[in-house]
């Protein structure tokens, strides 16, 4: 469990619960195929029943790491950094992102938008969930909207969320992985009828990389 001193450092953003960090290729969305260093932060209470990293939900299960040290490690591999989770916006990202910017990095984030934004971010992938809707301010800042399709009602939800982002935001539909054989034909038909949308595929799972 996190003690009182660690909790203070956590709130300040000087330490963060890091589930894992690794160098790989971005597998999804507009930057698919690009080398990137991922920092996966523990902690999420949005509660998607189909989440493929449920082990990230409890921040107490993941070690607290010195924020500047993890930034320096990440930047030594690559200048494209992806903050993911869990839900990374649960935490104060100011110190982490400031240090990454000092090291010449471009910072991407993958978020449900359910928490207030913090830090300096260059690319925001907004992936709204019905169980914890985004804060209103993040819609205008999102660079890409990634909607996960699990059942037919998710197409309506996707359109509702797309109505809230800027006209420059790239719109993606991505099947929940376990239902891909069923869902991608539906996504294809939907995009052909609504060509402002694009398909996103989890290419890293086909490549068998993190």
């Amino acid at each position: 469990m996190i003690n009182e001193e660690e909790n203070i450092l956590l709130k300040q953003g000087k330490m963060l619960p890091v589930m894992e960090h690794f160098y790989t290729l971005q597998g999804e969305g507009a930057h698919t195929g690009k080398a990137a260093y991922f920092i996966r932060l523990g902690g999420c209470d949005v509660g998607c029943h189909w989440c493929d990293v449920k082990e990230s939900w409890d921040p107490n299960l993941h070690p607290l790491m010195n924020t500047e040290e993890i930034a320096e490690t990440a930047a030594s591999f690559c200048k494209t950094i992806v903050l993911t989770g869990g839900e990374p916006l649960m935490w104060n990202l100011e110190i982490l992102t400031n240090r990454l910017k000092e090291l010449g990095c471009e910072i991407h984030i993958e978020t449900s938008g359910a928490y207030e934004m913090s830090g300096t971010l260059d690319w925001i992938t907004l992936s709204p969930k019905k169980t914890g809707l985004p804060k209103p301010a993040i819609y205008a800042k999102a660079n890409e909207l990634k909607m996960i399709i699990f059942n037919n009602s998710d197409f309506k939800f996707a359109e509702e969320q797309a109505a809230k982002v800027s006209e420059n935001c790239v719109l993606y539909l991505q099947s929940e992985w376990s239902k891909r054989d069923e869902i991608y034909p539906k996504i294809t038909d939907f995009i052909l009828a609504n060509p402002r949308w694009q398909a996103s595929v989890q290419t890293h799972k086909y490549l068998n990389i993190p």
Side-chain angles (χ1 to χ4, degrees), residues 5 7 13 30 49 55 60 63 73 85 92 94 98 126 128 136 140 149 155 157 163 171-172 175:
E5 180 181 356
N7 193 45
H49 64 92
E55 61 272 27
N60 294 302
T73 297
N92 181 347
E94 295 293 338
N98 286 346
L126 177 62
I149 306 299
F155 289 104
F157 181 56
L171 307 181
Y172 286 105
S175 174

Side-chain angles (χ1 to χ4, degrees), residues 1 9-10 13 17 19 47-48 70-71 73 80-81 84-85 92 97 119 130 141 143 153-154 159 161 167 181 185 205:
M1 293 293 292
L9 294 172
L10 188 61
M19 176 181 167
C48 304
I70 189 63
T73 297
T80 299
I81 311 299
T84 188
N92 181 347
T97 58
K130 297 173 185 176
K141 298 178 180 178
N143 299 101
S153 68
D154 290 331
E159 289 281 50
Q161 294 301 296
E167 62 180 15
D181 291 340
K205 292 189 176 180

Side-chain angles (χ1 to χ4, degrees), residues 20-197:
E20 58 182 348
H21 55 104
F22 50 90
Y23 187 40
T24 188
L25 304 184
Q26 171 60 275
E28 305 172 7
H31 295 276
T32 296
K34 181 181 290 187
Y37 199 92
F38 280 70
I39 301 174
R40 185 183 301 281
L41 300 179
C44 184
D45 59 4
V46 177
C48 304
H49 64 92
W50 41 255
C51 177
D52 57 3
V53 280
K54 289 182 179 179
E55 61 272 27
S56 71
W57 288 6
D58 185 352
N60 294 302
L61 299 179
H62 309 294
L64 292 180
M65 296 185 65
N66 180 283
T67 300
E68 295 203 0
E69 288 181 4
I70 189 63
E72 288 159 11
T73 297
S76 71
F77 283 85
C78 180
K79 300 306 180 188
T80 299
I81 311 299
V82 180
L83 307 181
T84 188
E87 174 44 69
L89 287 181
M90 284 184 67
W91 312 108
N92 181 347
L93 301 178
E94 295 293 338
I95 292 174
L96 175 62
T97 58
N98 286 346
R99 183 62 183 136
L100 287 169
K101 294 307 288 185
E102 288 172 358
L103 294 166
C105 295
E106 181 177 273
I107 305 164
H108 301 193
I109 193 168
E110 299 179 351
T111 177
S112 69
Y115 286 81
E116 298 293 342
M117 292 182 61
S118 66
T120 302
L121 304 167
D122 298 296
W123 186 268
I124 298 171
T125 299
L126 177 62
S127 187
K129 307 300 189 295
K130 297 173 185 176
T131 48
L133 293 174
K135 299 292 185 184
I138 198 169
Y139 286 107
K141 298 178 180 178
N143 299 101
E144 64 180 1
L145 180 71
K146 182 177 70 179
M147 301 303 302
I148 308 301
I149 306 299
F150 183 76
N151 54 43
N152 290 336
S153 68
D154 290 331
F155 289 104
K156 182 176 184 292
F157 181 56
E159 289 281 50
E160 291 169 351
Q161 294 301 296
K164 299 181 180 184
V165 297
S166 76
E167 62 180 15
N168 297 319
C169 184
V170 188
L171 307 181
Y172 286 105
L173 298 176
Q174 179 174 299
S175 174
E176 190 275 329
W177 179 251
S178 72
K179 298 184 71 175
R180 61 193 181 279
D181 291 340
E182 171 193 347
I183 295 295
Y184 272 117
K186 296 179 180 180
I187 286 177
T188 298
D189 290 342
F190 187 88
I191 293 173
L192 291 174
N194 301 274
R196 64 184 183 138
W197 288 92

